[in-house]
Amino acid sequence: EAGVTQSPTHLIKTRGQQATLRCSPISGHTSVYWYQQALGLGLQFLLWYDEGEERNRGNFPPRFSGRQFPNYSSELNVNALELEDSALYLCASTLSSGDGLHFGNGTRLTVT
Amino acid sequence: EDQVTQSPEALRLQEGESSSLNCSYTVSGLRGLFWYRQDPGKGPEFLFTLYSAGEEKEKERLKATLTKKESFLHITAPKPEDSATYLCAVKPPPGGYNKLIFGAGTRLAVHP
């Protein structure tokens, strides 16, 4: 069974640009979660998508947005990038009645 | 406020030297406690889910236990490949994964 896949692995952007990160959940999983893991900080919840709808968002500004496609894959968009957006962005999936979140290996975003 | 505290922050062991990692929490009405392993630059790898006090789960050299206020991850006869950061997370009521609270992790280094 293929795990959660994320692309790209690394992304380098300059301040003010936009970044798009992609995630494919485990086959059969309908819920996708996005987390930010900044250096020295714990995992911070960003967004939750289920059945194509945004269900909840964490304490992040509106320039963090995303969507979930009919095949349950998901995209995270970060507009007007700031230096402090540099972090590992993790996508996780689970069944609605699932037993734990399963994470991908993340996208390392560097903003210069 | 619900909190998750992991100790120690870092642990250095000799190969074969068994030890335990601690995850204490202040959540009432726990809906699940999760253990993950994270290697540098990678996403967290799901290890265990525990739901009720007294429950135990095992996988190879790892054994997770749960009480009403804390969980332990016991590592028996560790090997260098067990070196990683171990994260625990708790799911408070009403139980959504968007409300997971992650600890800061324990960095384990096992030396030959």
Side-chain angles (χ1 to χ4, degrees):
Chain A
E1 177 187 83
V4 176
T5 58
Q6 293 187 245
S7 63
T9 307
H10 294 87
L11 190 58
I12 300 174
K13 294 285 187 178
T14 56
R15 196 169 54 182
Q17 286 188 316
Q18 179 198 32
T20 298
L21 288 63
R22 296 181 176 83
C23 170
S24 291
I26 292 172
S27 177
H29 286 192
T30 59
S31 282
V32 170
Y33 298 75
W34 287 95
Y35 280 82
Q36 181 195 67
Q37 188 175 34
L39 198 62
L41 297 177
L43 276 78
Q44 303 292 320
F45 166 70
L46 263 167
L47 290 159
W48 169 28
Y49 292 94
D50 184 59
E51 298 288 351
E53 300 285 332
E54 181 181 306
R55 301 296 183 183
N56 194 228
R57 66 182 294 127
N59 189 25
F60 282 84
R63 57 192 185 82
F64 287 84
S65 65
R67 53 181 170 165
Q68 186 178 34
F69 299 98
N71 66 352
Y72 303 114
S73 67
S74 179
E75 189 175 272
L76 173 68
N77 295 294
V78 189
N79 294 319
L81 285 164
E82 300 179 2
L83 296 177
E84 50 265 37
D85 295 334
S86 295
L88 182 66
Y89 288 84
L90 295 162
C91 172
S93 72
T94 187
L95 293 168
S96 294
S97 58
D99 183 23
L101 285 181
H102 298 265
F103 287 87
N105 279 327
T107 293
R108 171 72 62 186
L109 174 64
T110 303
V111 183
T112 62
Chain B
E1 183 182 340
D2 295 333
Q3 283 192 333
V4 176
T5 304
Q6 291 190 246
S7 62
E9 287 185 15
L11 181 62
R12 178 189 170 115
L13 298 173
Q14 289 298 121
E15 185 172 2
E17 180 186 2
S18 301
S19 189
S20 296
L21 312 183
N22 178 264
C23 171
S24 64
Y25 58 92
T26 59
V27 172
S28 296
L30 188 73
R31 294 292 189 265
L33 184 143
F34 308 89
W35 280 99
Y36 289 90
R37 168 197 170 122
Q38 187 172 25
D39 293 299
K42 299 287 183 71
E45 175 191 347
F46 176 74
L47 293 174
F48 304 110
T49 306
L50 301 166
Y51 287 105
S52 54
E55 190 174 357
E56 299 183 352
K57 294 268 181 81
E58 282 189 70
K59 179 181 179 180
E60 297 179 359
R61 295 178 292 282
L62 299 177
K63 178 179 173 181
T65 62
L66 182 64
T67 71
K68 288 188 177 180
K69 290 297 180 187
E70 59 191 348
S71 176
F72 291 93
L73 184 65
H74 307 277
I75 303 177
T76 302
K79 298 182 177 181
E81 53 262 41
D82 294 323
S83 298
T85 295
Y86 290 85
L87 300 170
C88 80
V90 300
K91 187 168 34 158
Y97 284 106
N98 55 311
K99 299 299 183 184
L100 276 186
I101 305 169
F102 280 87
T106 293
R107 293 189 315 278
L108 174 65
V110 182
H111 296 268

